[in-house]
Amino acid sequence: MKTYSVAVVGTGAVGQTMLKVLEERNFPVGKLKVLATSRSAGKTVTFRDEEYVIEETTPASFAGIDVALFAGGEASKIYGRAAVEAGAVVIDNSNNFRMDPEVPLVVPEVNPQDVRWHKGLIANPNCSTIQMVVALKPIYDAAGIKRIVVSTYQAVSGAGQEAIDELRQQSRQVLAGEEVTGKVFPWQIAFNCLPHIDVFLENGYSKEEMKMVNETKKIMGDDQIQVTATTVRVPVFNGHSEAVNVETREKLTAAAARELLRRAPGVVVVDDLEAKAYPLAIQADGRDEVFVGRIREDFTIANGLNMWVVADNLRKGAATNAVQIAELLVQEGLL
Amino acid sequence: MKTYSVAVVGTGAVGQTMLKVLEERNFPVGKLKVLATSRSAGKTVTFRDEEYVIEETTPASFAGIDVALFAGGEASKIYGRAAVEAGAVVIDNSNNFRMDPEVPLVVPEVNPQDVRWHKGLIANPNCSTIQMVVALKPIYDAAGIKRIVVSTYQAVSGAGQEAIDELRQQSRQVLAGEEVTGKVFPWQIAFNCLPHIDVFLENGYSKEEMKMVNETKKIMGDDQIQVTATTVRVPVFNGHSEAVNVETREKLTAAAARELLRRAPGVVVVDDLEAKAYPLAIQADGRDEVFVGRIREDFTIANGLNMWVVADNLRKGAATNAVQIAELLVQEGLL
C-alpha cells in the first residue's frame, strides 16, 4: 500500500486529537513529523506505539512532506505557504485562509468535490459550522434552505487544553466555596454561560458567529443561505451542542427530515422522545459522527424545522474532518 | 399602614425565595403562615428574624388569609380553590391554571392591567417566559412582534433544591473521576446540556417549550405572536439565559432597541462589547431585574433583532414576580 509522509503542526488539544484520529482511522502514514513551537519542541508524543520527538517548526520542516495538518493558531499564516512551496498539501484547521477564494473550505460529507480545485491549501471549517452543515446538507438537497437561526452550546475544549484545565479548576473552586480565578475566559465559565466566543466585531456579532454565517455559504456553495447565530460557551468539557432552526424552501415534514438524516453520511439520528433519547455532548465525546435529534416541525412558519445537533468538536469539528480531507485526497489521487 | 395576612405554600427553592423577597421588598405582611406538605410540617423557617413553624396545608389553612402565594407543584390544584373560597387571592406559580381563560397570567411590567379581572386566582408565568416577555415588551410596543425563535440555557434551580444538589454532587463525581449518579435529571447534567425540560408532548415539543409559545401570547394579549422554542437545561446553579431572535413588524435598529430597553421597567441593559459586558447568569443570581445584552440587528431579515436575556429564575422567574403581583393588588386596592 502506498504511504504518505505526514506532518502534524501543533500539539495542543486539536493536534493531539489529529494524531489519535490518524492512528484510529489507519491513515497510510509512512513518515510522521510532529511540529510545534519552540515551547513544545523536545517533548515527545506517541503514535502507533512509537515515540516521536516534537520538532520546532521552520520553513525547512516540510521538505519531503506529502500532507501537513495544521491544528490551528498562527502557524499556517507563518509556515503554510512554505509548506505548499515545499510540495506538501496543507490542511489547515485555523481561521487564516477559510474565506480565501483561492482556498477550498471542505466538509467531506457536504462538498467533497471542492478538494479538486485546491492550490496546495485546503481549509478545515470552524467546529460549530462543520457539525451544522453535516446535519443540514441532506435537508438542503431535499428542500433547499432559506434561513438558519442557530444558538450554540460550545464546550471549552474548543478554546484549547488550558480552557479545559480552567473549567476543571474553577469548578473545584466553586464547589469548595473558594474565590474563582482564571485567565483563559473573560469571565467565570464554571456553572455559567458566556455569549462570547472569539472577538467581537463592529457589527455586534462575534467572529465565531460570523464564521457560521460566512462558512456555511461557502461550504454549501450557496450565497443565498441566510444564517444568524448566537454562539455561547457553556461549562462542558468536550462536545458542542446546537439548537438549529431552519426555514426550508419547500415543505419537509419532521418525519421526512428524520428519514433523510438516517440515511445521511456521518450522521447518527438519536431521536426517540419516549426513550428520552436525544443527542448529548457527553455521549458524542470521542465519536466521529454528528448526532441529530429533537427533530420537529416549526409551526410558526410554513416550511420550518427545529433540531438539536451535537458533535465532538475536537474530532468531527476539527481533527477528524481534517483527516477525512486527507483521506479524500488519497481517494481522489490528489496526494 | 395596612397589613395583610399572607400564606406561602411550599418551602422548596421557590417558597424559600418567596419569603426572602417578601422580606426584602417590605411587603406589608401582618400575619404569616408557612404551609407545606406533611413532610416539611413541624420544621421552622425564619422571616424578619422570627421563627415560623411550617404547617401542613389543609383546606382550612386559608381562613383569614388575604393573599396566598403558591410556590409550585400540585398544591394549587388541591388547595387553590379552597383558598379562594376562604377569601384569599391566590397567586400561583405552578402550571396548573396558567392557560385557564378565567385566570389572568401576569407579569407586572407587561400586563399589570390583567390583575383587575381576576376571580380569586392569578397565575405566575413560567420562569423562561417571564424574563423573555419583560425584555420583549418595549420592543413589542414600539415595533410589534411577528415571530420569536428562542433557545434557552436554563439553570438547575428551576428543577428545585434536589436538582441543585444533584448538579453539585455530579460535578464532584466527574472531577474525582468517580461514577456519576443521579435521580432528578434523566441524564448527567454536570458538564453536559440536556435539551429536555418538563415532559415531551405529542407534537415533538417539550411542555416547557410550549409554555413559552402559549404563555407569551396570553401575557402579551396577542395571539398573532409566533414563538418557536428549544429549551435546554445547562449545568448552571441559578440564572436562566436565553438567545432570543425576534422579527418585528416594523424596523427597529439595535440602537433604538437598546435605548427602549434602557428606559424599560425591570430591565437592565448590559451591552458594551469593548468592555466585554453582557448579561451573565452568575451576575443575575440574587437580582430582581432582567438583564439584556448582545443586542444586534439580525441581517437575515428586514426587521430582525438578536439579544441575550438573563434573569434569576427563582426571583424574577418565580418568587419576585409573584410578590410583585401581590404589590400590584395592594396598589390597585384589590386586596
Side-chain angles (χ1 to χ4, degrees), chain A residues 76-88:
Chain A
S76 69
K77 221 184 249 172
I78 309 172
Y79 304 109
R81 298 291 182 198
V84 171
E85 275 161 35

Side-chain angles (χ1 to χ4, degrees), chain B residues 20-32:
Chain B
K20 213 189 294 180
V21 172
L22 283 167
E23 182 169 335
E24 285 172 7
R25 297 176 71 98
N26 276 310
F27 188 82
V29 177
K31 222 180 80 185
L32 175 71

Side-chain angles (χ1 to χ4, degrees), chain B residues 112-125:
Chain B
Q113 71 285 355
D114 283 338
V115 295
R116 291 182 197 147
W117 56 268
H118 86 79
K119 294 170 177 164
L121 222 147
I122 300 170
N124 208 45

Side-chain angles (χ1 to χ4, degrees), chain B residues 13-230:
Chain B
V14 172
Q16 286 175 40
T17 309
M18 282 173 162
L19 290 170
K20 213 189 294 180
V21 172
L22 283 167
E23 182 169 335
E24 285 172 7
R25 297 176 71 98
N26 276 310
F27 188 82
V29 177
K31 222 180 80 185
L32 175 71
K33 259 194 189 181
V34 184
L35 302 169
T37 58
S38 56
R39 204 159 47 104
S40 301
K43 296 181 187 165
T44 59
V45 292
T46 306
F47 179 75
R48 291 185 187 155
D49 297 327
E50 270 182 59
E51 286 216 327
Y52 288 80
V53 178
I54 302 171
E55 298 172 45
E56 184 177 351
T57 319
T58 72
S61 303
F62 301 92
I65 293 294
D66 297 308
V67 60
L69 306 179
F70 281 71
E74 299 298 297
S76 69
K77 222 184 250 171
I78 309 172
Y79 304 109
R81 299 292 183 197
V84 171
E85 274 160 36
V89 178
V90 169
I91 301 171
D92 178 26
N93 188 48
S94 84
N95 188 44
N96 302 326
F97 299 100
R98 286 181 189 148
M99 295 311 295
D100 185 329
E102 301 286 298
V103 175
L105 184 66
V106 176
V107 177
E109 293 88 342
V110 180
N111 59 336
Q113 71 285 355
D114 283 338
V115 295
R116 291 182 197 147
W117 56 268
H118 86 79
K119 294 170 177 164
L121 222 147
I122 300 170
N124 208 45
N126 185 45
C127 46
S128 51
T129 311
I130 292 177
Q131 67 185 70
M132 185 171 80
V133 295
V134 168
L136 289 179
K137 172 65 171 167
I139 291 166
Y140 180 83
D141 287 345
I145 291 179
K146 222 168 136 177
R147 179 172 178 242
I148 298 159
V149 182
V150 56
S151 304
T152 70
Y153 303 68
Q154 295 183 230
V156 296
S157 62
Q161 186 57 49
E162 285 187 341
I164 298 172
D165 297 341
E166 183 157 307
L167 172 58
R168 191 176 291 274
Q169 168 200 296
Q170 290 185 347
S171 299
R172 281 190 214 282
Q173 288 170 329
V174 171
L175 293 173
E178 293 166 11
E179 203 195 331
V180 171
T181 56
K183 55 182 199 283
V184 178
F185 295 108
W187 304 95
Q188 175 186 321
I189 182 61
F191 307 108
N192 198 19
C193 296
L194 307 181
H196 178 178
I197 301 183
D198 210 329
V199 297
F200 288 116
L201 306 172
E202 275 297 312
N203 66 0
Y205 286 83
S206 67
K207 205 165 161 186
E208 183 83 358
E209 287 160 354
M210 292 314 293
K211 287 176 199 165
M212 296 191 82
V213 172
N214 296 319
E215 294 180 14
T216 299
K217 294 178 187 187
K218 179 166 177 177
I219 298 163
M220 301 289 246
D222 183 348
D223 265 350
Q224 300 304 303
I225 300 179
Q226 298 294 313
V227 183
T228 190
T230 301

Side-chain angles (χ1 to χ4, degrees), chain A residues 88-148:
Chain A
V89 178
V90 169
I91 301 171
D92 178 25
N93 187 48
S94 83
N95 189 42
N96 301 325
F97 298 100
R98 287 182 188 147
M99 295 311 296
D100 186 330
E102 301 285 298
V103 175
L105 183 66
V106 176
V107 178
E109 293 89 343
V110 181
N111 59 336
Q113 70 286 355
D114 283 339
V115 295
R116 291 182 197 146
W117 55 269
H118 86 78
K119 295 170 178 163
L121 222 147
I122 300 170
N124 209 44
N126 186 47
C127 46
S128 51
T129 311
I130 291 176
Q131 68 185 71
M132 184 171 79
V133 295
V134 168
L136 289 180
K137 172 67 171 166
I139 291 167
Y140 180 84
D141 287 345
I145 291 179
K146 223 167 135 179
R147 179 171 178 242
I148 299 160

Side-chain angles (χ1 to χ4, degrees), chain A residues 8 20 28 51 65 98 131 138 186 189 199 224 242 244 265 269 273 294 299:
Chain A
V8 170
K20 213 188 297 181
E51 286 217 328
I65 294 295
R98 287 182 188 147
Q131 68 185 71
I189 182 63
V199 296
Q224 300 304 304
E242 298 178 348
V244 182
V269 172
L273 298 185
R294 298 293 324 275
F299 303 110

